Amino acid sequence: MTEAIELLPRNPRPARRERPPRHLADLDPAERRAAVAELGQPGYRADQLSRHYFARLTDDPAQMTDLPAGVRAELGGALLPSLLTAQRELECDGGTTRKTLWRAFDGAFVESVLMRYPDRVTMCVSSQAGCGMACPFCATGQSGLTRNLSTAEIVTQVFAGARAMAAGVVPGGAGRSGGPGRSGGPGRSGGPGRVSNVVFMGMGEPLANYRSVLDAVRRITEPAPSGLGISQRSVTVSTVGLVPAIRKLAAEGLSVRLAVSLHAPDDELRDELVPVNRRWKIAELLDAAWDYAAATGRRVSIEYAMIRDVNDHAWRADRLASLLAGRLAHVNLIPLNPTPGSKWTASDPSVAAEFLDRIAARGVPVTVRDTRGTQIDGACGQLAASTEPKRPAAGSNLPG
Ligand code: SAH
């Protein structure tokens, strides 16, 4: 018997390029009706399902009591497969910043971060497992690209945040007296709320996964029950600068914000910090950015990680200001979050302050990005989806 078993072929390893299962959130309303019809159900079942998922934020078929029990199980099984399983949740900033490590159907890991502020709630989502852009200062860039996420895998991250907000389990918000940064017990919850903003600043290069990201933007922004009903103006797509994709996005007729990760005002340095610059130079990238601003009426956000003695020189501030003066742009200075083993560190605060002043002096709007989530490796560029236990930073309130 044992021998016979050994003669059988080994369990085939799952095909590496298998697609994530199809999910309601992959489909537009017409496709949903067609999918339901394939299962022999009337089209209005698709609308019922959509209302549960996108409006009531329910993905448990058992709770869909307006559907006959047999239909519930069948439609749920076919259109609401579980795509991402929360593997680990970490929180800091008094519970107002929450990072989730997700495991996909094929074992790929991605992360998302929910940040509750007094006036808004931002969900930072991943568009790819890993990233192929290889920026040397970014944690995600070190491991390369595993794969693109599907539309529904992206939407699911926002869905999870929306559900946590609706359940009132996230402290903070306008009603809370302590303000972010102080720890509040469960009784200090800010009460239920909504996700108001979505930023594609988690793992991955969104414009390298164009189709899925665009469909996810549509699903996130279409009014319920077609989508999650978040305003297009509150969605930001951040890119290393894939010029043809920026131009394509500008022609989509959307009003999402574009963020360009510039990090250097000169090609010589940017070739090193953002290797895709070797393909599309700064002048060409900014041309595309200004055309995007003209097409959408939206100010382009210029992201600039402040790296000590690498890109924080006064002359670079002046060069940056010259590139941006008079343009529809806003500069976001991000103190570098050093990745493990990195030779780089954040700029000295006084150097960063002078850098900011020099840009502001030229009339270019500039702010320093708030760096929430540093303690849980959830801040900009720290998402590496390591499953290794992380040592909590002193003073943080991480579980375990
Ligand atoms: N691939 C996209 C989106 C993901 S990164 C992009 O590059 O824009 C989101 C932002 O975090 C980018 O501006 C990125 O350059 C920045 N970032 C990456 N690593 C960082 C780090 N270690 N410290 C500070 N910002 C970082």
Side-chain angles (χ1 to χ4, degrees), residues 13-99:
R13 302 185 74 176
R16 291 209 56 191
R17 288 284 156 208
E18 209 181 318
R19 296 276 308 150
R22 181 183 67 167
H23 186 282
L24 187 74
D26 286 312
L27 311 176
D28 67 26
E31 291 167 336
R32 291 174 207 171
R33 280 189 287 277
V36 161
E38 270 169 38
L39 299 167
Q41 291 294 323
Y44 65 84
R45 296 273 185 238
D47 303 334
Q48 287 176 301
L49 215 54
S50 297
R51 217 165 293 122
H52 281 295
Y53 186 82
F54 289 101
R56 296 188 196 123
L57 305 175
T58 301
D59 61 356
D60 174 11
Q63 290 177 28
M64 304 179 181
T65 48
D66 56 338
L67 297 169
V71 175
R72 256 180 251 165
E74 191 186 4
L75 290 188
L79 289 170
L80 296 171
S82 161
L83 295 176
L84 299 179
T85 310
Q87 199 77 6
R88 238 157 28 104
E89 308 241 25
L90 297 175
E91 54 177 72
C92 66
D93 303 322
T96 59
T97 302
R98 307 159 74 91
K99 181 176 83 164

Side-chain angles (χ1 to χ4, degrees), residues 229-253:
I230 295 169
S231 157
Q232 282 183 15
R233 299 181 63 84
S234 307
V235 173
T236 300
V237 174
S238 182
T239 180
V240 289
L242 306 184
V243 167
I246 293 174
R247 296 201 169 280
K248 200 166 158 195
L249 187 65
E252 300 281 357

Side-chain angles (χ1 to χ4, degrees), residues 21-302:
R22 181 183 67 167
H23 186 282
L24 187 74
D26 286 312
L27 311 176
D28 67 26
E31 291 167 336
R32 291 174 207 171
R33 280 189 287 277
V36 161
E38 270 169 38
L39 299 167
Q41 291 294 323
Y44 65 84
R45 296 273 185 238
D47 303 334
Q48 287 176 301
L49 215 54
S50 297
R51 217 165 293 122
H52 281 295
Y53 186 82
F54 289 101
R56 296 188 196 123
L57 305 175
T58 301
D59 61 356
D60 174 11
Q63 290 177 28
M64 304 179 181
T65 48
D66 56 338
L67 297 169
V71 175
R72 256 180 251 165
E74 191 186 4
L75 290 188
L79 289 170
L80 296 171
S82 161
L83 295 176
L84 299 179
T85 310
Q87 199 77 6
R88 238 157 28 104
E89 308 241 25
L90 297 175
E91 54 177 72
C92 66
D93 303 322
T96 59
T97 302
R98 307 159 74 91
K99 181 176 83 164
T100 308
L101 171 69
W102 301 101
R103 190 178 193 278
F105 80 105
D106 57 353
F109 286 104
V110 292
E111 295 182 327
S112 62
V113 184
L114 174 71
M115 290 158 282
R116 185 171 198 175
Y117 299 88
D119 60 334
R120 68 187 191 282
V121 177
T122 300
M123 196 66 216
C124 176
V125 298
S126 295
S127 56
Q128 300 180 309
C131 185
M133 298 298 129
C135 302
F137 57 90
C138 172
T140 311
Q142 307 316 300
S143 50
L145 176 66
T146 301
R147 68 168 170 86
N148 282 334
L149 298 190
S150 68
T151 295
E153 285 176 317
I154 298 168
V155 175
T156 295
Q157 299 168 55
V158 183
F159 175 90
R163 198 150 67 167
M165 285 304 302
V169 298
V170 186
R176 188 165 164 270
S177 51
R182 296 233 219 120
S183 64
R188 307 285 302 275
S189 156
R194 295 166 160 276
V195 171
S196 57
N197 297 64
V198 175
V199 297
F200 284 82
M201 293 188 180
M203 297 170 74
E205 166 51 41
L207 295 187
N209 182 16
Y210 190 88
R211 198 70 257 157
S212 295
V213 165
L214 204 73
D215 284 347
V217 168
R218 295 219 161 90
R219 256 355 65 79
I220 289 164
T221 59
E222 277 160 11
S226 181
L228 288 168
I230 295 169
S231 157
Q232 282 183 15
R233 299 181 63 84
S234 307
V235 173
T236 300
V237 174
S238 182
T239 180
V240 289
L242 306 184
V243 167
I246 293 174
R247 296 201 169 280
K248 200 166 158 195
L249 187 65
E252 300 281 357
L254 299 169
S255 57
V256 303
R257 186 189 289 283
L258 180 73
V260 170
S261 296
L262 197 65
H263 305 313
D266 52 306
D267 285 317
E268 195 186 345
L269 178 58
R270 194 166 193 270
D271 281 352
E272 188 189 343
L273 295 181
V274 186
V276 80
N277 196 67
R278 294 170 200 160
R279 177 78 178 75
W280 293 287
K281 297 294 178 199
I282 292 172
E284 204 184 343
L285 167 56
L286 290 181
D287 267 354
W290 309 145
D291 288 348
Y292 186 90
T296 58
R298 303 299 314 274
R299 202 171 279 280
V300 174
S301 186
I302 302 291

Side-chain angles (χ1 to χ4, degrees), residues 386-399:
S386 153
T387 51
E388 300 295 311
K390 297 251 167 65
R391 238 175 310 141
S396 76
N397 60 349
L398 304 189

